[in-house]
Every structure is written in structure tokens, then in C-alpha cells.
Coordinates of all heavy atoms in Angstrom, one line a residue:
Y1 N 27.6 -46.0 -21.0 CA 26.8 -47.1 -20.5 C 26.1 -47.8 -21.6 O 25.9 -49.0 -21.6 CB 25.8 -46.6 -19.4 CG 26.4 -46.5 -18.0 CD1 26.8 -45.3 -17.5 CD2 26.6 -47.7 -17.3 CE1 27.3 -45.2 -16.2 CE2 27.1 -47.6 -16.0 CZ 27.5 -46.4 -15.5 OH 28.0 -46.3 -14.2
M2 N 25.5 -47.0 -22.5 CA 24.8 -47.6 -23.7 C 25.8 -48.5 -24.5 O 25.4 -49.6 -24.9 CB 24.2 -46.5 -24.6 CG 22.9 -45.9 -24.0 SD 21.5 -47.0 -24.1 CE 21.2 -47.1 -25.9
A3 N 27.0 -48.0 -24.7 CA 28.0 -48.7 -25.5 C 28.3 -50.0 -24.8 O 28.4 -51.1 -25.4 CB 29.2 -47.9 -25.7
S4 N 28.5 -49.9 -23.4 CA 28.8 -51.1 -22.6 C 27.7 -52.1 -22.7 O 28.0 -53.3 -22.9 CB 29.0 -50.7 -21.2 OG 29.3 -51.8 -20.4
N5 N 26.5 -51.7 -22.7 CA 25.3 -52.6 -22.8 C 25.3 -53.2 -24.2 O 24.9 -54.4 -24.4 CB 24.0 -51.8 -22.5 CG 22.8 -52.7 -22.5 OD1 22.7 -53.6 -21.7 ND2 21.9 -52.5 -23.4
A6 N 25.6 -52.4 -25.2 CA 25.6 -52.9 -26.6 C 26.5 -54.0 -26.8 O 26.3 -55.0 -27.6 CB 25.9 -51.8 -27.6
L7 N 27.7 -54.0 -26.1 CA 28.7 -55.0 -26.3 C 28.4 -56.3 -25.6 O 29.2 -57.3 -25.7 CB 30.1 -54.5 -25.9 CG 30.5 -53.2 -26.6 CD1 32.0 -52.9 -26.2 CD2 30.4 -53.3 -28.1
T8 N 27.3 -56.4 -24.9 CA 26.9 -57.7 -24.3 C 26.4 -58.7 -25.3 O 26.4 -59.9 -25.0 CB 25.8 -57.5 -23.2 OG1 24.7 -56.9 -23.8 CG2 26.4 -56.6 -22.1
H9 N 25.9 -58.2 -26.4 CA 25.5 -59.1 -27.5 C 26.7 -59.3 -28.4 O 27.2 -58.4 -29.1 CB 24.4 -58.5 -28.3 CG 23.1 -58.4 -27.6 ND1 22.4 -57.2 -27.2 CD2 22.3 -59.4 -27.0 CE1 21.3 -57.5 -26.6 NE2 21.2 -58.8 -26.4
T10 N 27.3 -60.5 -28.4 CA 28.5 -60.7 -29.2 C 28.2 -61.7 -30.4 O 27.4 -62.6 -30.2 CB 29.6 -61.3 -28.3 OG1 29.1 -62.5 -27.7 CG2 30.0 -60.3 -27.3
P11 N 28.9 -61.5 -31.5 CA 28.7 -62.5 -32.6 C 29.1 -63.9 -32.2 O 30.1 -64.0 -31.4 CB 29.6 -61.9 -33.7 CG 29.7 -60.5 -33.3 CD 29.7 -60.4 -31.8
P12 N 28.5 -64.9 -32.7 CA 28.8 -66.3 -32.3 C 30.0 -66.9 -33.0 O 29.9 -67.8 -33.8 CB 27.5 -67.0 -32.7 CG 27.0 -66.3 -33.9 CD 27.4 -64.9 -33.7
L13 N 31.2 -66.3 -32.7 CA 32.4 -66.7 -33.4 C 33.6 -66.6 -32.5 O 33.8 -65.7 -31.7 CB 32.6 -65.7 -34.6 CG 33.8 -66.0 -35.5 CD1 33.5 -67.2 -36.3 CD2 34.1 -64.8 -36.4
G14 N 34.4 -67.7 -32.5 CA 35.7 -67.7 -31.9 C 36.6 -66.8 -32.7 O 36.2 -66.3 -33.7
F15 N 37.8 -66.7 -32.2 CA 38.7 -65.8 -32.9 C 38.9 -66.1 -34.4 O 38.9 -65.3 -35.2 CB 40.1 -65.7 -32.2 CG 40.0 -64.9 -30.9 CD1 40.3 -65.5 -29.7 CD2 39.7 -63.6 -31.0 CE1 40.2 -64.7 -28.6 CE2 39.6 -62.8 -29.9 CZ 39.9 -63.4 -28.6
F16 N 39.0 -67.4 -34.7 CA 39.2 -67.8 -36.1 C 38.5 -69.2 -36.3 O 38.8 -70.1 -35.6 CB 40.6 -67.8 -36.5 CG 41.2 -66.5 -36.7 CD1 42.0 -65.9 -35.6 CD2 41.0 -65.7 -37.8 CE1 42.5 -64.7 -35.7 CE2 41.5 -64.4 -37.9 CZ 42.3 -63.9 -36.8
K17 N 37.7 -69.3 -37.4 CA 37.3 -70.5 -37.9 C 36.5 -71.4 -37.0 O 36.4 -72.6 -37.2 CB 38.5 -71.3 -38.5 CG 39.4 -70.5 -39.4 CD 38.6 -70.0 -40.6 CE 39.5 -69.2 -41.5 NZ 38.8 -68.6 -42.6
N18 N 35.8 -70.9 -36.0 CA 34.9 -71.7 -35.2 C 33.7 -70.9 -34.8 O 33.8 -69.9 -34.2 CB 35.7 -72.3 -34.0 CG 36.2 -71.3 -33.1 OD1 36.7 -70.3 -33.5 ND2 36.1 -71.6 -31.8
F19 N 32.5 -71.5 -35.1 CA 31.3 -70.9 -34.6 C 31.1 -71.2 -33.1 O 31.5 -72.4 -32.7 CB 30.1 -71.4 -35.4 CG 30.0 -70.9 -36.7 CD1 29.9 -71.7 -37.8 CD2 30.0 -69.5 -37.0 CE1 29.8 -71.2 -39.1 CE2 29.9 -69.0 -38.3 CZ 29.8 -69.9 -39.3
V20 N 30.5 -70.4 -32.3 CA 30.1 -70.6 -31.0 C 28.6 -70.9 -31.0 O 27.8 -69.9 -31.2 CB 30.5 -69.5 -30.0 CG1 30.0 -69.8 -28.6 CG2 32.0 -69.2 -30.0
L21 N 28.2 -72.1 -30.8 CA 26.8 -72.5 -30.9 C 26.0 -72.4 -29.6 O 26.7 -72.4 -28.5 CB 26.7 -73.9 -31.5 CG 27.4 -74.2 -32.8 CD1 27.2 -75.7 -33.2 CD2 27.0 -73.3 -33.9
I22 N 24.7 -72.3 -29.6 CA 23.9 -72.4 -28.4 C 24.1 -73.8 -27.8 O 24.1 -74.8 -28.5 CB 22.4 -72.2 -28.8 CG1 22.2 -70.8 -29.4 CG2 21.5 -72.4 -27.6 CD1 20.8 -70.6 -29.9
N23 N 24.4 -73.8 -26.5 CA 24.9 -75.1 -26.0 C 23.8 -75.8 -25.1 O 24.1 -76.9 -24.5 CB 26.2 -74.9 -25.1 CG 26.0 -73.9 -24.0 OD1 24.8 -73.6 -23.6 ND2 27.1 -73.4 -23.4
K24 N 22.6 -75.3 -25.1 CA 21.6 -76.0 -24.3 C 20.2 -75.5 -24.8 O 20.1 -74.5 -25.5 CB 21.7 -75.8 -22.8 CG 21.7 -74.3 -22.4 CD 21.9 -74.2 -20.9 CE 21.9 -72.8 -20.5 NZ 22.2 -72.6 -19.0
G25 N 19.2 -76.2 -24.3 CA 17.8 -75.8 -24.6 C 17.3 -76.3 -26.0 O 17.9 -77.1 -26.7
E26 N 16.1 -75.7 -26.3 CA 15.4 -76.1 -27.5 C 16.2 -75.9 -28.8 O 16.1 -76.7 -29.8 CB 14.1 -75.3 -27.6 CG 13.2 -75.6 -28.8 CD 12.1 -74.6 -28.9 OE1 11.9 -73.8 -28.0 OE2 11.3 -74.7 -29.9
H27 N 17.1 -74.9 -28.8 CA 17.8 -74.6 -30.0 C 19.3 -74.9 -29.9 O 20.1 -74.3 -30.5 CB 17.6 -73.1 -30.4 CG 16.2 -72.7 -30.5 ND1 15.4 -73.1 -31.5 CD2 15.4 -71.8 -29.7 CE1 14.2 -72.6 -31.4 NE2 14.2 -71.8 -30.3
K28 N 19.6 -76.0 -29.1 CA 20.9 -76.4 -28.9 C 21.6 -76.7 -30.3 O 21.0 -77.2 -31.2 CB 20.9 -77.7 -28.1 CG 22.3 -78.2 -27.6 CD 22.2 -79.4 -26.7 CE 23.5 -79.8 -26.2 NZ 24.4 -80.4 -27.2
D29 N 22.9 -76.3 -30.4 CA 23.7 -76.6 -31.5 C 23.3 -75.8 -32.8 O 23.4 -76.3 -33.9 CB 23.8 -78.1 -31.8 CG 24.5 -78.9 -30.7 OD1 25.4 -78.3 -30.0 OD2 24.1 -80.1 -30.5
T30 N 22.7 -74.7 -32.6 CA 22.4 -73.8 -33.7 C 23.0 -72.4 -33.5 O 23.5 -72.1 -32.4 CB 20.9 -73.6 -33.9 OG1 20.4 -72.9 -32.7 CG2 20.2 -74.9 -34.0
L31 N 23.0 -71.6 -34.6 CA 23.4 -70.2 -34.5 C 22.1 -69.4 -34.4 O 21.2 -69.6 -35.2 CB 24.2 -69.8 -35.8 CG 25.5 -70.4 -36.0 CD1 26.0 -70.2 -37.4 CD2 26.6 -69.9 -35.0
D32 N 22.1 -68.4 -33.5 CA 21.0 -67.5 -33.4 C 21.4 -66.2 -34.3 O 22.1 -65.4 -33.8 CB 20.8 -67.1 -32.0 CG 19.6 -66.1 -31.8 OD1 19.1 -65.6 -32.8 OD2 19.1 -65.9 -30.7
L33 N 20.8 -66.2 -35.5 CA 21.2 -65.1 -36.4 C 20.6 -63.8 -36.1 O 21.0 -62.8 -36.7 CB 20.9 -65.5 -37.9 CG 21.7 -66.7 -38.4 CD1 21.4 -67.0 -39.9 CD2 23.2 -66.4 -38.3
K34 N 19.6 -63.8 -35.2 CA 19.0 -62.5 -34.8 C 19.8 -61.9 -33.6 O 20.4 -60.9 -33.8 CB 17.5 -62.7 -34.4 CG 16.9 -61.4 -33.9 CD 15.5 -61.6 -33.5 CE 14.9 -60.3 -32.9 NZ 13.5 -60.4 -32.5
H35 N 19.8 -62.6 -32.5 CA 20.3 -62.0 -31.3 C 21.8 -62.0 -31.3 O 22.4 -61.1 -30.6 CB 19.8 -62.8 -30.0 CG 18.4 -62.6 -29.8 ND1 17.4 -63.5 -30.1 CD2 17.7 -61.5 -29.2 CE1 16.2 -63.0 -29.8 NE2 16.3 -61.9 -29.3
N36 N 22.5 -62.9 -31.9 CA 23.9 -62.9 -32.0 C 24.5 -62.5 -33.3 O 25.7 -62.4 -33.5 CB 24.5 -64.3 -31.6 CG 24.1 -64.7 -30.2 OD1 23.4 -65.6 -30.0 ND2 24.6 -63.9 -29.2
G37 N 23.6 -62.3 -34.3 CA 24.1 -61.8 -35.6 C 23.6 -60.4 -36.0 O 24.5 -59.5 -36.1
V38 N 22.3 -60.1 -36.0 CA 21.8 -58.8 -36.4 C 21.8 -57.8 -35.2 O 22.2 -56.7 -35.3 CB 20.4 -59.0 -36.9 CG1 19.8 -57.6 -37.2 CG2 20.4 -59.8 -38.2
V39 N 21.4 -58.3 -34.0 CA 21.3 -57.4 -32.9 C 22.6 -56.7 -32.5 O 22.5 -55.5 -32.2 CB 20.7 -58.2 -31.6 CG1 20.8 -57.3 -30.4 CG2 19.2 -58.5 -31.9
P40 N 23.7 -57.3 -32.5 CA 25.0 -56.5 -32.3 C 25.2 -55.4 -33.2 O 25.6 -54.3 -32.8 CB 26.1 -57.6 -32.4 CG 25.4 -58.9 -32.1 CD 24.0 -58.8 -32.7
I41 N 24.8 -55.5 -34.5 CA 24.9 -54.4 -35.4 C 23.9 -53.3 -35.1 O 24.2 -52.1 -35.1 CB 24.8 -54.9 -36.9 CG1 25.8 -56.0 -37.2 CG2 24.9 -53.7 -37.8 CD1 25.6 -56.6 -38.5
V42 N 22.6 -53.7 -34.8 CA 21.6 -52.8 -34.4 C 22.0 -52.0 -33.2 O 21.8 -50.8 -33.1 CB 20.3 -53.6 -34.1 CG1 19.2 -52.7 -33.5 CG2 19.7 -54.2 -35.4
D43 N 22.6 -52.7 -32.2 CA 23.1 -52.0 -31.0 C 24.1 -51.0 -31.3 O 24.1 -49.9 -30.7 CB 23.6 -53.0 -30.0 CG 22.5 -53.9 -29.4 OD1 21.3 -53.5 -29.5 OD2 22.8 -54.9 -28.8
L44 N 25.1 -51.3 -32.1 CA 26.2 -50.4 -32.5 C 25.6 -49.2 -33.2 O 26.0 -48.0 -32.9 CB 27.2 -51.1 -33.4 CG 28.1 -52.1 -32.7 CD1 28.9 -52.9 -33.8 CD2 29.0 -51.5 -31.7
A45 N 24.7 -49.4 -34.1 CA 24.1 -48.3 -34.9 C 23.3 -47.4 -33.9 O 23.3 -46.2 -34.1 CB 23.2 -48.8 -36.0

């Protein structure tokens, strides 16, 4: 269950050569380097 929960945070990347950006709100069209970058590694560890 912990592993399943950990995999809900995914890196902001399509399969190849395309970033998946935040698509709405205050931070629209940016990368969240904490929740979608660092947190997935923290969760795995």
C-alpha cells in the first residue's frame, strides 16, 4: 500500500522529450520541482 501511494507522485515527463506542465492555477505552465521532482524520490526511499 505504501508503494502504491508513493507512485501517485509522478515526474513531470512524457515518455520522451516533453515536459508535462501544471495546466491551471497560479503556477500554470511551470514545472513543480518539489512535488513532481524531489518527492517521488523521497517516496521511493
Side-chain angles (χ1 to χ4, degrees):
Y1 274 103
M2 283 289 289
S4 179
N5 185 63
L7 301 190
T8 60
H9 291 117
T10 56
L13 184 69
F15 282 118
F16 288 98
K17 306 304 179 186
N18 60 319
F19 288 126
V20 178
L21 306 179
I22 298 172
N23 58 16
K24 60 183 178 181
E26 178 186 358
H27 303 294
K28 188 176 184 294
D29 296 330
T30 66
L31 293 167
D32 183 348
L33 292 183
K34 177 182 177 180
H35 291 101
N36 296 116
V38 174
V39 168
I41 303 174
V42 170
D43 288 345
L44 289 172

